[in-house]
Amino acid sequence: MYRDLQTRFILWLARTLNPPVLRDRPIQICPDHLRNLPDGTLGREVVRFWDENQFEPIESGDYIQRTHDIWHVVTGLSASEHDEFMLQAFTRAQVFRPTSAIVVLYGVVHRSLSWRELRYSLHWGRIAQRLLDWDIEADWATPLPEVRRKLGLPQVSLSKQTRKQQSAIPDTMNH
């Protein structure tokens, strides 16, 4: 069910340190149903993310923990350590998560995340629609580019976009 010991520890830490967010909010995640959706839809891309990374849906924790992989997909961020740091910065800009701040700080201190990438991720987390208010289930069959447009996210992965456009990231994003 869980990815590995490290993931179990991180989920425990998050449940311990973070105030619960929408703990009782239900979400129907049926991998078999999502697997049968057309390629390119949100649901199919979430299943592809799980399959490529040998993950299973997270079924415990609060709403943010249970939808964490979906946030990876809509932001275009992979399961790599680097992209996880970026997603945690994005998440921290969206909602109060002490563990997100701790993880991001670790990434910056260990030079796994640049200040520019941090500012960029925080920027997108601030200007995107609040993902906690988004009805994910209503968009399972929606093409991913349309979902990203609806949420105010770039069509290209946040990670790829920062690498391609490092010099184009304005310094004014730190407000």
Side-chain angles (χ1 to χ4, degrees):
M1 180 169 160
Y2 290 109
R3 298 165 191 178
D4 55 28
L5 185 59
Q6 180 181 5
T7 302
R8 280 192 290 184
F9 174 74
I10 291 168
L11 289 172
W12 172 83
L13 186 65
R15 282 191 294 273
T16 303
L17 295 179
N18 292 326
V21 175
L22 304 171
R23 179 185 296 158
D24 298 324
R25 181 176 176 182
I27 180 164
Q28 294 285 51
I29 301 176
C30 178
D32 291 335
H33 169 72
L34 301 180
R35 195 174 309 285
N36 290 316
L37 292 172
D39 281 342
T41 60
L42 172 65
R44 184 65 183 97
E45 295 308 312
V46 167
V47 170
R48 185 182 324 279
F49 179 84
W50 291 330
D51 291 347
E52 288 175 356
N53 294 289
Q54 300 177 349
F55 292 165
E56 293 179 17
I58 297 172
E59 297 175 355
S60 66
D62 68 7
Y63 191 73
I64 292 177
Q65 289 170 317
R66 289 180 282 128
T67 60
H68 177 83
D69 292 339
I70 299 165
W71 290 38
H72 270 283
V73 172
V74 298
T75 59
L77 294 168
S78 74
S80 73
E81 181 178 282
H82 174 267
D83 282 9
E84 185 62 42
F85 289 128
M86 290 187 72
L87 183 63
Q88 290 301 318
F90 176 91
T91 300
R92 181 59 189 89
Q94 287 263 313
V95 65
F96 178 70
R97 297 297 273 187
T99 55
S100 292
I102 293 166
V103 168
V104 169
L105 180 61
Y106 176 88
V108 170
V109 167
H110 289 277
R111 299 178 189 223
S112 299
L113 182 68
S114 73
W115 285 105
R116 188 173 289 269
E117 291 167 323
L118 170 60
R119 284 195 322 268
Y120 189 73
S121 299
L122 289 170
H123 169 75
W124 280 105
R126 283 188 206 110
I127 68 168
Q129 296 297 314
R130 193 164 181 249
L131 270 57
L132 292 177
D133 298 334
W134 169 42
D135 181 0
I136 295 169
E137 293 174 76
D139 280 328
W140 284 137
T142 305
L144 187 54
E146 189 176 321
V147 172
R148 286 180 174 153
R149 206 170 11 266
K150 172 183 177 177
L151 296 174
L153 290 165
Q155 292 300 311
V156 178
S157 159
L158 295 183
S159 175
K160 289 179 186 171
Q161 194 160 331
T162 56
R163 286 188 205 114
K164 281 180 155 178
Q165 300 175 344
Q166 280 290 336
S167 61
I169 302 170
D171 286 333
T172 58
M173 287 190 212
N174 56 2
H175 53 67

